Structures are given as C-alpha cells and as structure tokens.
Amino acid sequence: MHSGKLITFEGLDGCGKSTQLEKANDWLSEKGFTVQTTREPGGTVIGQQIRNILLNPEHEELQPESELLLYLADRIQHLQESILPEIAAGKIVLCDRFHDSTVAYQGYGRGLDLISIESIVEHCIKPYAPDLTILLNISPETVAARLNRRQEHAEKDRLDSESLSFFTRVAQGFEELSAAEPERFVCLNGEQEIEVIHQEIIDAFQQRLRIT
Ligand code: TYD
C-alpha cells in the first residue's frame, strides 16, 4: 500500500485551484494512486452546514472572530472525520484550501490577531501540516476581473465582494507564508495556461514527493 499524503491547493479567489486539483486527481488516479478530493470549508456534512453560514451573502452581521472560529471548527471536523482516516488508509488527499487560507484571509486580509487561536492551532491543526502545498499566484487585479465574470453568472458569495486592498493583503499573507516554509510550498504563476500549470504541478509531485 502507498503511504497516505495531504496535498493542499491555495491561492486567491479565482486563481484556478479547483481546475488544477481536478487535473491532478486525474493524473494521480491514472498512475494507480487512490485519491480523495475535498475542500474547505465544507468537506464534511457538518462542514457543509458551516460553509453555508460562512459564504451566505446575507450574513453581513457575521463577526470576523466568529468567521475565524467557524473556519477552524470546519477544519478540525474535516481532519478528524475524513482527512486523517483517509491518509491512514494510504490515500492521497487533495484539499482545496486549508489552514494557510485562514492565516492569509482572516489574519492578513481581515487583520485579526491570530494569537487568540494559537493553542487550538498548535494542538488540533499544526500536527497535521500538509506534505505539499501548491500555491497559485495571480494578481489582485486578476481576482477582480475573474470575480466580475462570476458575478455576471450570479455565482457571487460573501467573500467575493471584498475589495482590491483586501485581496492585496491576502496575497501578501500567502507570500510570507510560502517564504517561511519553502520546503512545503510550491509557488506557481497562476496566470499561465492551464496545461503549463498542470505540468508544473506534476513536476512538483515527482520532485518533492517522489510520486512517479
Ligand atoms: P469558495 O467558493 O470555495 O472559493 P474558492 O473556490 O476561491 O476557494 O469559497 C471559499 C472562500 O472562503 C474563499 O473566499 C476563501 C475563504 N476562506 C477563508 O477566508 N478562510 C479560510 O480558512 C478558508 C478555508 C477559506
């Protein structure tokens, strides 16, 4: 049996993570790996309910600290209920967003002091750090253009209404996180062609995780 792994995909809204995650899933599955794809928020039945609270555009009264704790609750549920058992069963878990998103969005974007959640993170999340994190970088201006397109299709959620300066701070957060842990992160230019990015992700799997 293969050893299980957690690979996370991160980046600004509209960076193309979900497309790349699906293509990575196809590639790994063709290679014979057992893959589980999932996402945050919303990777479990309970998490799906948390997701509905978090992303509902009508929830304007949601407090930043409440938002932060809901993301953590979703993640702890997700880890214990599905990610950890799947890794233990030898699966490669591909997760669309994980804890880096909380640091980038709630910490840098909203400006929350994450000290208050440190002991929860230390005990419940840090021990299960991803084996690899694919970060797709796009400019905050590209986010605005892509979200406008989503808006035309009436798919906007609560976070899609954030400002350019919000996404600039979030991008700064991802940049600092990836600089602090270069062995975990693979930073790719998300403005390239889909197939080019896909090939770079496969290269990273092969070089960093020895997946061949
Ligand atoms: P989603 O529709 O899944 O967007 P995307 O496809 O861009 O990932 O919505 C997830 C939103 O939640 C996204 O705007 C980022 C935000 N988010 C946080 O703010 N903090 C977090 O910890 C996570 C996991 C997501």
Side-chain angles (χ1 to χ4, degrees):
M1 194 173 71
H2 299 292
S3 66
K5 293 197 188 320
L6 172 59
I7 302 175
T8 57
F9 288 69
E10 298 279 7
L12 299 180
D13 295 66
C15 70
K17 294 176 281 91
S18 313
T19 306
Q20 292 300 335
L21 188 148
E22 277 317 317
K23 291 181 76 68
N25 177 21
D26 292 345
W27 187 83
L28 289 164
S29 303
E30 269 171 35
K31 291 271 167 197
F33 292 95
T34 313
V35 188
Q36 182 69 47
T37 64
T38 185
R39 69 170 175 182
E40 290 194 356
T44 59
V45 172
I46 291 170
Q48 192 54 50
Q49 296 187 43
I50 297 175
R51 181 182 174 88
N52 293 341
I53 299 171
L54 281 166
L55 301 185
N56 187 336
E58 287 171 14
H59 289 173
E60 283 172 13
E61 67 276 41
L62 189 66
Q63 298 298 305
E65 287 80 6
S66 309
E67 181 188 48
L68 170 64
L69 292 169
L70 285 168
Y71 280 117
L72 292 187
D74 169 71
R75 181 157 310 121
I76 292 168
Q77 195 65 33
H78 194 199
L79 272 168
Q80 294 300 333
E81 201 186 313
S82 77
I83 296 177
L84 296 179
E86 281 155 0
I87 293 173
K91 292 187 188 177
I92 296 184
V93 179
L94 302 180
C95 188
D96 193 333
R97 294 196 184 283
F98 196 63
H99 192 63
D100 298 308
S101 279
T102 300
V103 179
Y105 279 79
Q106 279 64 55
Y108 286 77
R110 298 255 185 264
L112 291 181
D113 186 351
L114 301 186
I115 294 285
S116 60
I117 57 159
E118 213 163 65
S119 72
I120 302 176
V121 172
E122 200 63 43
H123 286 100
C124 304
I125 295 166
K126 278 227 177 107
Y128 315 114
D131 296 283
L132 189 73
T133 297
I134 307 287
L135 174 61
L136 297 184
N137 287 315
I138 58 171
S139 73
E141 289 76 16
T142 303
V143 176
R146 292 187 183 175
L147 292 183
N148 274 341
R149 229 176 300 150
R150 268 196 214 173
Q151 187 178 27
E152 282 163 21
H153 295 92
E155 293 168 22
K156 244 183 158 206
D157 65 36
R158 201 172 53 84
L159 276 109
D160 290 346
S161 312
E162 292 296 345
S163 63
L164 196 64
S165 63
F166 176 83
F167 286 111
T168 304
R169 291 194 299 276
V170 175
Q172 173 75 16
F174 280 128
E175 195 181 322
E176 290 185 18
L177 282 165
S178 58
E181 282 187 79
E183 63 296 335
R184 173 163 70 85
F185 276 89
V186 174
C187 304
L188 303 177
N189 175 359
E191 313 227 7
Q192 304 175 96
E193 291 294 321
I194 288 174
E195 285 307 323
V196 173
I197 300 171
H198 174 58
Q199 191 53 52
E200 291 182 349
I201 290 174
I202 291 171
D203 292 345
F205 287 174
Q206 292 173 329
Q207 286 159 22
R208 302 277 192 110
L209 299 178
R210 305 265 167 261
I211 290 175
T212 48

